[in-house]
């Protein structure tokens, strides 16, 4: 339920806003149309005068693999970081590139770009370089360089009023950028080459010194330099130890063999088996002697068999066998002694070699520190030599780059003259001009509404003045005369509003004691006189005897409204006593209506209505008429209105819709109360007939259009 009530309140508020907007537009549609039209025409003129501009784009592909500074060390799949590409974007719009374009394309004489020179002082633009710099900065305002997404492609766009010039400048910019980057790379390479040469000289000196120092230290420490295959390195002691250790091992093996042979021989001798000693058996001398002994034994057997044991020949042969045995034994003893000598010699050699090896080991321990120091010196020398070799290669690459004209980029798409301009977007600007014009018109009428100090609604009027609204009188067209409207169209909205006022003032039964009814306003031109005449006619048409008494002597405007002939005498003459009452009363333009008018505007400092003259006049006419309608002067700035309102039985305050200042109307209502007058309400005049803001009086809306005479 609560939600439904909030929704209804929101819809009501929205409806009020829509009504206010609609009413404002209806009231001020001419202003809205005029302002909108003027602004729209101005906007269309400005847009139509705009110079079309064309964009031409040249595409440049960056190729990091073609970088001449990268040398032979560059990988085959080179890449550029986002920061590097951002740098290229900046350099593509560099002032140096733009200056080259200004010079090559003679933009100093191009009106599109040299206009900026007129804004500079004469002292500034006398120098040619300075002039080119100024025009180059202006040119850069027409150039944009962007990167195509995820690609090494730069879009170089130049905007110009001439499509052919835009394409020419775009292509020139692309070529100038590539030449600039190439020249910059070559210049950098030459600088690097000079730097490398200086560094190489220093490194060569350092590497030579380090190698010399290492060689001298190795020589002093007895450290041998390794060969190209890595062999032969170490100290002299290291190289002596290895063969000496081998010799010791071999000597120990020989000594062990000699000792073994000697021990076996001694053991066989101790067993009496001298002949089976291995060394004896293998001796060639022993073998020869054994062969001789075998032959002698054969001969001895034959001799003894032939001659007997005692034969001299048998004795000689036996002696020869004995001699050979003696030789064999002597040779065996000599071999045995040789074994002993060999074993002793082998043992002595082992001892000698061991002693030498021990001495070398001691020397080796002392040379470890020297060897480590030598290795350190050699490593330092090798590192300097490697650095020298690397920098030598880099220097070679830099020298090659200095002589190379290879560019980092290439033009892949040349700029072509565009067929259509990119700016201004005239259809869009025309639409925006229309929107701006509508906004300007809306702002104007909104400002006029805000600046208006009058009342806009019945609610505001009644709340501010504390008086009820008797009737709402619609505004008539400028082609219509409201004074004639009552007579020509008695059933119109205008005539009906005064019948409503009659009912509001006199009551529905018209049996009140109200006879004198005054109409006044706070300021002139509020519709007071027209309302008084229309109200008097309304009463007369309703068969009441009515007297219209014009009291606004300084304007004397009633004679211009009514259809009767202009009188020759009137109220001023009557109050001066120059004519009688009957002479002053003239018939009106409707039956039952009489009128006492002012012949012409009357200006005087006298108190025309004082000294009882006005009271006497009203007393004289009260019995002759049912109603007396007074057209009083405005209350502000004049004294007569406040003075005469006191004599009326009811006073209606006329307030013009959206015009009468609130302060003026409030003051007027306050004066009527303080003076003892009887203000009964407000006649709300010249209200927009289509405005619903008049409160609950919706009889002026379209729903009631069939009730009134058109």
């Amino acid at each position: 339920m609560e939600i439904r009530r909030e929704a209804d309140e929101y819809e009501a508020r929205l409806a009020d806003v829509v009504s206010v907007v609609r009413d404002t537009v209806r009231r001020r549609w001419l202003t809205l149309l005029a302002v909108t039209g003027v602004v729209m025409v101005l906007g269309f003129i400005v847009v139509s005068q705009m110079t079309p501009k064309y964009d031409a784009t040249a595409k440049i592909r960056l190729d990091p693999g073609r970088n001449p500074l990268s040398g032979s060390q560059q990988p085959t799949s080179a890449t550029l970081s986002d920061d590097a590409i951002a740098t290229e974007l900046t350099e593509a719009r560099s002032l140096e590139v733009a200056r080259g374009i200004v010079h090559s394309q003679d933009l100093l004489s191009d009106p599109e770009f040299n206009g900026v020179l007129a804004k500079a002082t004469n002292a500034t633009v006398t120098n040619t370089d300075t002039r080119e710099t100024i025009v180059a900065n202006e040119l850069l305002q027409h150039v944009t360089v962007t990167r195509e997404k995820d690609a090494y492609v730069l879009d170089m766009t130049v905007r110009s009023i001439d499509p052919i010039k835009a394409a020419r400048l775009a292509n020139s910019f692309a070529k100038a950028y590539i030449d600039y980057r190439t020249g910059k790379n070559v210049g950098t390479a030459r600088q690097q080459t000079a730097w490398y040469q200086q560094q190489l000289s220093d490194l060569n000196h350092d590497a030579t010194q380090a190698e010399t120092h290492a060689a001298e230290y190795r020589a002093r420490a007895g450290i041998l330099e390794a060969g190209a295959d890595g062999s032969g390195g170490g100290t002299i002691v290291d190289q002596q130890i290895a063969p000496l250790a081998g010799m010791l091992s071999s000597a120990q093996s020989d000594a062990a063999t000699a000792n073994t042979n000697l021990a076996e021989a001694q053991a066989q001798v101790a067993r009496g088996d001298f002949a089976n000693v291995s060394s004896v058996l293998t001796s060639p001398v022993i073998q020869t002697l054994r062969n001789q002994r075998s032959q002698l034994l054969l001969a001895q057997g034959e001799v003894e068999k032939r001659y007997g044991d005692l034969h001299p020949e048998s004795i000689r042969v036996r002696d020869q066998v004995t001699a050979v045995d003696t030789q064999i034994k002597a040779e065996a003893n000599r071999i045995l002694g040789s074994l002993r000598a060999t074993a002793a010699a082998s043992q002595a050699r082992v001892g000698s070699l061991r002693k030498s090896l021990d001495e070398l080991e001691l020397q080796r321990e002392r040379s470890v520190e020297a060897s480590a120091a030598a290795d350190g010196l050699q490593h330092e020398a090798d590192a300097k030599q490697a650095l020298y070799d690397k920098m030598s290669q880099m220097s070679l690459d830099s020298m090659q780059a200095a002589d190379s004209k290879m560019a980092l980029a290439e033009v892949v798409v040349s700029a072509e003259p565009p067929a259509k301009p990119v700016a201004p977007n005239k259809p869009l600007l025309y639409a925006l001009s229309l929107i701006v014009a509508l906004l300007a018109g809306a702002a104007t009428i909104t400002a006029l509404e805000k600046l208006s100090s009058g009342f806009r609604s019945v609610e505001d009027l009644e709340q501010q003045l504390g008086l009820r609204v008797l009737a709402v009188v619609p505004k008539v067209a400028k082609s219509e005369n409201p004074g004639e409207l009552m007579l020509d169209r008695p059933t119109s909205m205008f005539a009906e509003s005064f019948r409503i006022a009659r009912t509001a003032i006199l009551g529905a039964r018209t049996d009140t004691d109200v006879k004198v009814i005054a109409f006044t306003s706070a300021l002139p031109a509020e519709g007071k006189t027209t309302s008084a005449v229309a109200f008097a006619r309304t009463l007369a048409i309703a068969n009441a005897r009515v007297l219209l008494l014009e009291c606004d002597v300084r304007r004397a405007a009633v004679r211009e409204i009514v259809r009767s002939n202009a009188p020759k005498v009137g109220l001023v003459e009557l109050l001066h006593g120059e004519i009688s009452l009957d002479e002053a009363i003239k018939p009106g333009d409707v039956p039952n209506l009489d009128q006492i008018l002012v012949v012409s505007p009357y200006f005087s400092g006298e108190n025309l209505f004082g000294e009882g003259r006005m009271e006497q006049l009203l007393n004289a006419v009260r019995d002759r008429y049912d109603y007396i309608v007074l057209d009083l002067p405005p209350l502000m700035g004049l004294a007569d209105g406040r003075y005469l309102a006191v004599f009326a039985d009811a006073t209606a305050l006329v307030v013009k819709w959206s015009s009468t200042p609130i302060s003026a109307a409030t003051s007027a209502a306050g004066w009527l109360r303080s003076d003892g007058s009887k203000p009964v309400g407000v006649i709300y005049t010249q209200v927009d007939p289509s405005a619903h803001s008049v409160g609950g009086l919706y009889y002026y809306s379209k729903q009631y259009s069939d009730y009134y005479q058109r």
Side-chain angles (χ1 to χ4, degrees), residues 318-602:
R318 284 196 298 271
D319 290 341
Q320 288 180 343
V321 171
T322 301
V324 170
D325 289 338
T326 301
Q327 289 180 356
I328 290 175
K329 186 175 181 181
E331 183 63 23
N333 288 330
R334 188 191 64 77
I335 290 174
L336 199 61
S338 177
L339 289 176
R340 291 189 185 96
T342 299
S346 296
Q347 193 63 37
R349 186 169 181 270
V350 168
S352 176
L353 290 174
R354 186 179 297 278
K355 182 179 180 181
S356 298
L357 187 60
D358 291 340
E359 291 177 354
L360 288 177
E361 288 291 344
L362 291 176
Q363 294 179 11
R364 183 181 185 182
E365 292 177 0
R366 290 193 297 269
S367 65
V368 170
E369 182 178 353
S371 179
D375 290 342
L377 292 175
Q378 186 61 45
H379 289 160
E380 180 182 357
D382 293 342
K384 290 184 177 181
Q385 184 63 38
L387 182 59
Y388 174 83
D389 294 340
K390 183 176 181 180
M391 188 160 290
S392 178
Q393 181 62 44
M394 294 172 65
S395 175
L396 179 60
D397 294 340
S398 181
M399 292 175 64
Q400 293 175 351
D403 296 331
S404 174
K405 297 299 182 182
M406 184 183 296
L408 274 170
E410 62 179 345
V411 178
V412 293
V413 178
S414 297
E416 297 292 338
K420 296 181 179 180
V422 295
N425 188 345
K426 290 189 175 181
L428 176 61
L429 292 179
Y430 285 140
L432 291 177
S433 298
L434 177 59
I435 294 173
V436 171
L438 290 173
L439 292 177
T444 301
I445 63 175
T446 301
L448 292 175
E449 289 291 309
K450 294 297 182 181
L451 293 175
S452 177
S453 59
F455 297 96
R456 293 296 181 81
S457 67
V458 170
E459 290 83 355
D460 290 342
L461 187 58
E462 293 181 340
Q463 182 179 2
Q464 293 286 344
L465 301 184
L467 296 174
R468 63 193 178 104
V469 174
L470 303 174
V472 177
V473 181
K475 183 179 181 179
V476 300
K478 292 183 178 181
S479 60
E480 296 179 327
N481 185 352
E484 303 290 335
L485 196 60
M486 174 67 71
L487 302 178
D488 295 340
R489 289 186 290 171
T491 59
S492 64
M493 294 170 58
F494 181 84
E496 186 66 29
S497 65
F498 285 99
R499 285 191 285 271
I500 294 173
R502 180 194 64 186
T503 302
I505 295 174
L506 302 179
R509 298 172 60 183
T510 66
D511 55 359
T512 63
D513 294 333
V514 175
K515 292 183 69 71
V516 180
I517 305 167
F519 285 81
T520 186
S521 63
L523 300 172
E526 303 285 275
K528 163 187 62 64
T529 299
T530 301
S531 298
V533 173
F535 188 77
R537 287 172 174 171
T538 300
L539 295 176
I541 292 172
N543 295 322
R545 292 174 298 136
V546 182
L547 175 65
L548 174 61
L549 188 57
E550 182 180 15
C551 301
D552 192 357
V553 297
R554 299 193 185 188
R555 281 197 61 195
V558 176
R559 60 190 173 87
E560 299 175 358
I561 299 176
V562 297
R563 290 181 176 179
S564 58
N565 295 327
K568 296 182 180 180
V569 292
L571 180 63
V572 176
E573 291 78 12
L574 175 62
L575 293 178
H576 282 164
E578 298 175 1
I579 60 174
S580 64
L581 179 60
D582 292 334
E583 291 176 328
I585 296 175
K586 302 296 181 181
D589 50 12
V590 297
N592 300 321
L593 176 61
D594 290 337
Q595 53 195 19
I596 300 177
L597 305 181
V598 178
V599 177
S600 61
Y602 177 75

